[in-house]
Amino acid sequence: MESSQGRWPPLRPHGGSGAAVEEEDAFLGFVAHARSILFPDDNLLEDRGCAEDSRVPSWSWVVSRILKTCIAYPSGVTPGILLSEIFLAWCEQRRFLTSKKNMEWMAPLKRRRRRTRLPNTVTIDSIFEKNFLSPTSCIEAYFVIVLSFLLPGTDIYMLTLGDLWSSCTIDLYLHRRYYHLVESDGGILKRGREILLTGCSLRLAMEGSGHHRLLPTEYLVILLDEDQDEDAMLLGARFCTDSFSSITHDAVKNAAAFYFYARIESIGSLEAHGALGSLQRKQIILIDNEGAKIKFLLWGEQVILANLFSIGGMLALDAPFIASALDDGGTSEELCLEYGSVTQLYLVPYIQHEEQVHLTSTQMRFQGSNSCTQNQSQSKASQVVLPLNPQGSIDFSGYPFRAYVSDLSDKMTGISLYGSVTDIKREVECADTVISMTIEDATGAIVAKLHFVGSWSLGRVSIGHTVYITGLKCLTKRPKRLITYILILKISHASSTLFYMFMLS
């Protein structure tokens, strides 16, 4: 990748760091060139507030998009192809911001709360464009059950749904287990209610019908807002009386109904053993306000419900089925919750808190070296606001600039690193496959521990290769008085959205 005037300008090393000096790198030069050409107005971070709401992508997003495009064109790419792919991908990701109608939907929503978009979310516009909907996809009917009505001459309820990112709406045949939530005048499923759906099937428009529709799904979660009086009264009156410690075997035998309100602590898969065969299982650990924990198990087709949950959210369970948990050898006396035939689920989503992060001298110097208005950039790009995860770590996946080794500190997650491999070895004392890789850039070196789940390897990656890794989290290790930072990444077959590593030799 070269310009008409020669190679792209190199990234200047961090002065006075004492670390190995980063030589001229054509790849980094093209990244800087692409950002300056496509997104020149990247020095207004202080005015924008949160990085994820900015009009320009983060440095790591641009790098990942370039590498993905190179993989998509194995025979070779030109700078023009890369620049157009980056620009189109960013426009596609942010296109809902240009819709006046969607901006009107967003305004009241931002006043209420902020929450992260679910990983498997599809938009209603994309359903119409592709004429396809995967059963595992999530539909976030976000602030818009537009209308609920009975089909003329039938007793079938329909919901008209919209979402934050689409200009179209779509009708859903409501599953009969939710009819009682719309039949009364004070029903919960009414205009303005937010819901999450999964397990949906698409009914394509037939001759004379003219409209796509969603077939009924029993996997529906109703969102509540504790700041709204109506929702707060529902939670207080129905779900705050029972606790996990109040479950007794006698109550279970007498088919007593329980109503729980608890925080989602973890979500994980369970391997099937013995008579369970290949049946899929998901285990969700819930903790109530008394500190008691219980397992909420999903079986078979129910596991897709877990796509609608996120760690840190508050889950309200209306009449869950109570059973004895199965262990590896058979039954046990431990009680667990299951998604029964009459169970209703309500969710208060995790509110993503934010924290201001000041740009380091490293960031200021490198950002200034690639900008024609160095002084102006340094005066304005003084800090950004980044979200916190439920554990209180700062999520750097939307960080606008490149992260360097010297910038790392404890409680960082979503880190992307670019550097050369100076050491690589497998930790033999660990039962799982754990590779320790030392990555060095212009400001220093760091040890990244890559935890592989299953039979994974690093293939041809060796000392001297240049790598780019994203999805790392940073932990502090204190042997004696020496403080070092260990980067952790757990890699499984389901974590493709978190892990990309490319050899750039």
Side-chain angles (χ1 to χ4, degrees), residues 34-44 48 56 367 371-373:
R35 296 193 78 206
S36 63
I37 293 296
L38 298 177
F39 316 105
D41 192 22
D42 64 350
N43 57 356
L44 301 178
R48 293 190 198 114
V56 298
Q367 171 65 10
S371 174
C372 60
T373 57

Side-chain angles (χ1 to χ4, degrees), residues 118-139:
L118 296 172
N120 295 334
T121 295
V122 297
T123 65
I124 293 173
D125 279 352
S126 70
I127 296 174
F128 281 97
E129 291 169 3
K130 299 177 181 178
N131 288 331
F132 174 77
L133 176 62
S134 170
T136 59
S137 296
C138 303
I139 299 176

